[in-house]
Amino acid sequence: MKSDSSTSAAPLRGPGGPLRSSEPVRAAPARAPAVDLLEEAADLLVVHLDFRAALQACDRAWRGLAEEPAGTSLEVKCSLCVVGIQALAEMDRWQEVLSWVLQYYQVPEKLPPKVLELCILLYSKMQEPGAVLDVVSAWLQDPANQDLPEYGALAELHLQRVLLPLGCLSEAEELVVSSAAFGEEQQLDLLQTIHTARQQQKQEHSGAKEAQKLNQEASPSSLPFLYKLAQLFRWIQKAMSSHLYQLRVRD
């Protein structure tokens, strides 16, 4: 009895088309151990709140990735940094964040935009924006980074969270004027912000000079005059008291 062609089984298909009987079935690529360690680190961080173990898992993953060709697993590396930064912050070791990420990326210019953003936000929140000044400046000046879609947002974040709080107004102006990442309207807005900050800086400087002048007027060099004045007041007070006493006696 002949089999009906309409009910015959469809040929097995592989990634490149139908498989012939002589073709081996292609196995799925093995997952990198770093991915498993990344999942372990995230679990330790979020579920178990074991921040030290999470950081150690990230370090082990990085050591494993060091044996792989450069340029591979970029997303895994970035994710490991995010977990590691959070773990250090939770342990109140935020001062170590910058050195920790740079030990793996070697130079600031190679930091992923997401990692750089977290560093700016962290050090700005802890009121230590100066710690990331040179790192972010180097990253922004690298031509390879200037074509990235995140460049404009990071440049503005650097201006608002690092340059302005540090009073680096000339550097802020140079960044706005020289960068093609800002549109004309955005440039005007940022320049206005810098102008306002400069006016405030002048007022603070003027106030500081006035306070310094007042302090100098009351400095030790003026004490002899103040001392003589105090003596004069005391003499007048005694003289008035004596005069009033004499008036009472006469009465």
Side-chain angles (χ1 to χ4, degrees):
M1 182 176 179
K2 294 183 180 179
S3 61
D4 190 350
S5 60
S6 62
T7 60
S8 60
L12 295 174
R13 301 184 64 84
L19 288 176
R20 298 183 180 87
S21 59
S22 60
E23 289 182 353
V25 177
R26 298 177 186 176
R31 195 160 75 157
V35 177
D36 294 328
L37 285 171
L38 172 60
E39 291 184 358
E40 178 185 341
D43 189 61
L44 288 166
L45 176 73
V46 178
V47 179
H48 301 285
L49 303 180
D50 191 341
F51 309 123
R52 186 179 302 277
L55 184 64
Q56 291 172 347
C58 290
D59 285 327
R60 292 199 306 274
W62 267 106
R63 287 193 293 270
L65 287 171
E67 301 173 0
E68 296 189 9
T72 59
S73 306
L74 296 178
E75 179 128 1
V76 174
K77 292 178 180 179
C78 181
S79 299
L80 286 169
C81 279
V82 172
V83 174
I85 290 171
Q86 183 66 29
L88 285 168
E90 293 288 353
M91 291 188 289
D92 198 23
R93 291 167 54 187
W94 57 269
Q95 301 95 329
E96 303 174 34
V97 163
L98 205 55
S99 59
W100 185 78
V101 297
L102 285 175
Q103 73 176 322
Y104 295 117
Y105 283 98
Q106 306 299 323
V107 293
E109 294 85 348
K110 300 300 181 184
L111 290 174
K114 183 63 178 177
V115 172
L116 189 66
E117 178 188 5
L118 287 176
C119 289
I120 295 173
L121 293 174
L122 174 62
Y123 283 90
S124 172
K125 181 180 179 180
M126 303 309 296
Q127 299 183 354
E128 291 290 342
V132 294
L133 176 61
D134 293 337
V135 170
V136 185
S137 297
W139 191 94
L140 292 173
Q141 291 169 9
D142 187 71
N145 294 327
Q146 293 175 4
D147 293 330
L148 296 175
E150 301 92 345
Y151 183 86
L154 283 173
E156 183 173 0
L157 188 67
H158 178 53
L159 186 146
Q160 298 282 5
R161 297 296 188 94
V162 179
L163 295 179
L164 292 184
L166 291 174
C168 302
L169 304 184
S170 298
E171 291 84 347
E173 281 182 335
E174 182 181 356
L175 176 63
V176 173
V177 173
S178 62
S179 177
F182 303 121
E184 183 177 351
E185 185 176 349
Q186 190 178 13
Q187 276 187 333
L188 292 175
D189 290 341
L190 291 174
L191 289 174
Q192 180 59 45
T193 301
I194 296 169
H195 175 73
T196 303
R198 179 170 277 113
Q199 294 300 114
Q200 184 178 355
Q201 189 181 70
K202 287 180 180 179
Q203 290 175 0
E204 291 174 353
H205 181 66
S206 176
K209 287 182 67 176
E210 186 66 25
Q212 184 179 10
K213 183 180 178 181
L214 292 173
N215 289 334
Q216 287 175 349
E217 290 176 353
S219 63
S221 61
S222 64
L223 286 179
F225 169 76
L226 296 177
Y227 179 73
K228 291 178 182 178
L229 187 62
Q231 281 185 321
L232 178 60
F233 284 144
R234 283 196 293 270
W235 181 84
I236 292 173
Q237 186 177 19
K238 287 181 180 179
M240 291 297 294
S241 298
S242 177
H243 179 66
L244 291 173
Y245 177 76
Q246 291 175 2
L247 289 177
R248 289 172 186 162
V249 169
R250 290 174 185 174
D251 293 339

